[in-house]
Amino acid sequence: MITVGRASLDLTGDHPSFPRSLRGPKPRPEPSKMGKCDGRCTLVAICSLQLIAALQRQVFDFLGYQWAPILANFLHIMAVIMGIFGTVQFRSRYLILYAVWLVLWVGWNSFIICFYLEVGHLSQDRDFLMTFNTSLHRSWWMEHGPGCLVTPVLDSRIAPDDHHVITVSGCLLDYQYIEVLSSALQVLLALFGFVFACYVSKVFQDDEDSFDFIGGFDSYGYQPPQKTSHLQLQPLYTAG
């Protein structure tokens, strides 16, 4: 505010008649007004469960040298972290990317289910699909499943160099079904996450649109120019 005599000029940009194009950027709406906590809290809980399940799966895939699932799990963990960040920081674009990834994640886990159940022409003998043909290892649960008894086969002629042949028996649950259950859990969490991500993202976008429609805060809304009493006109006398 600059004052000269009785005249004043407002240069702060807060005056209602100040041109909209010359004002500063419009502030973001208050977080407390954007989105309901029930949907956001539920989505954060789902993402947390996804993160725990993905980390647990990543550990066992590392132990089994399953390189393709390891890469997919890493991308999934990054996407889940992005989803949590978007939910907490009210970023609808992050939630949209998170939802798109969940569609791909459901497709990947569906493939794993079909792979271990040998649906169609898929066969577990094609180990290169999971290990990129870098090793002969299979799922870690094959030898360490509940109740499994591992017996090494000595003097086997079919064993390659630096490898040994084993027989596994007595398993309460075969490793194929453990992998299938793990993938089914991922699909279930992804479906719930997709639904809530779309819902919360829609809520965020609606709140932003309504905030723009009302013009943000009251001081940034359009108001017609008003007369000011800061400037008073005085008669001017000149010597004739």
Side-chain angles (χ1 to χ4, degrees):
M1 179 78 67
I2 298 176
T3 303
V4 181
R6 295 185 178 181
S8 62
L9 179 61
D10 187 0
L11 297 179
T12 61
D14 294 331
H15 197 273
S17 61
F18 202 77
R20 183 64 178 270
S21 60
L22 299 180
R23 299 174 190 170
K26 185 174 64 177
R28 292 177 60 86
E30 297 178 3
S32 59
K33 297 181 180 180
M34 294 187 61
K36 298 181 180 180
C37 184
D38 52 359
R40 290 176 54 240
C41 295
T42 303
L43 182 56
V44 170
I46 294 175
C47 290
S48 300
L49 292 176
Q50 285 183 313
L51 191 60
I52 294 173
L55 291 174
Q56 171 266 334
R57 188 177 187 179
Q58 185 78 314
V59 170
F60 293 115
D61 286 338
F62 262 115
L63 294 175
Y65 301 96
Q66 304 294 294
W67 302 117
I70 287 172
L71 178 60
N73 293 336
F74 176 78
L75 297 177
H76 181 59
I77 291 173
M78 295 296 101
V80 171
I81 294 176
M82 181 175 60
I84 296 176
F85 178 80
T87 304
V88 174
Q89 296 296 325
F90 305 93
R91 303 296 180 86
S92 59
R93 294 181 180 179
Y94 285 29
L95 292 180
I96 293 175
L97 294 176
Y98 165 72
V100 171
W101 165 257
L102 289 182
V103 175
L104 302 177
W105 184 244
V106 169
W108 167 253
N109 283 276
S110 300
F111 166 77
I112 292 181
I113 293 175
C114 296
F115 175 78
Y116 281 105
L117 294 180
E118 297 186 344
V119 177
H121 297 286
L122 295 175
S123 175
Q124 299 180 39
D125 295 332
R126 301 177 180 179
D127 293 331
F128 64 90
L129 293 177
M130 296 298 173
T131 64
F132 294 142
N133 203 26
T134 59
S135 68
L136 296 178
H137 291 85
R138 292 192 177 183
S139 173
W140 183 83
W141 294 105
M142 181 178 183
E143 302 179 25
H144 303 86
C148 291
L149 178 62
V150 179
T151 304
V153 178
L154 303 177
D155 300 332
S156 176
R157 297 182 179 180
I158 62 175
D161 297 338
D162 300 330
H163 289 75
H164 60 277
V165 178
I166 60 174
T167 58
V168 182
S169 60
C171 295
L172 298 178
L173 186 64
D174 291 338
Y175 75 97
Q176 300 97 319
Y177 302 110
I178 296 178
E179 295 287 355
V180 168
L181 290 176
S182 178
S183 297
L185 176 62
Q186 295 290 341
V187 171
L188 181 63
L189 292 175
L191 292 178
F192 280 106
F194 179 83
V195 172
F196 277 92
C198 294
Y199 166 72
V200 175
S201 176
K202 185 64 168 56
V203 171
F204 288 172
Q205 292 179 350
D206 291 342
D207 289 343
E208 291 176 354
D209 293 341
S210 61
F211 183 78
D212 293 336
F213 177 75
I214 64 177
F217 296 112
D218 294 338
S219 61
Y220 285 84
Y222 172 76
Q223 296 181 4
Q226 299 177 355
K227 296 182 179 179
T228 176
S229 60
H230 294 293
L231 182 61
Q232 297 180 357
L233 300 178
Q234 300 293 337
L236 179 63
Y237 298 95
T238 58

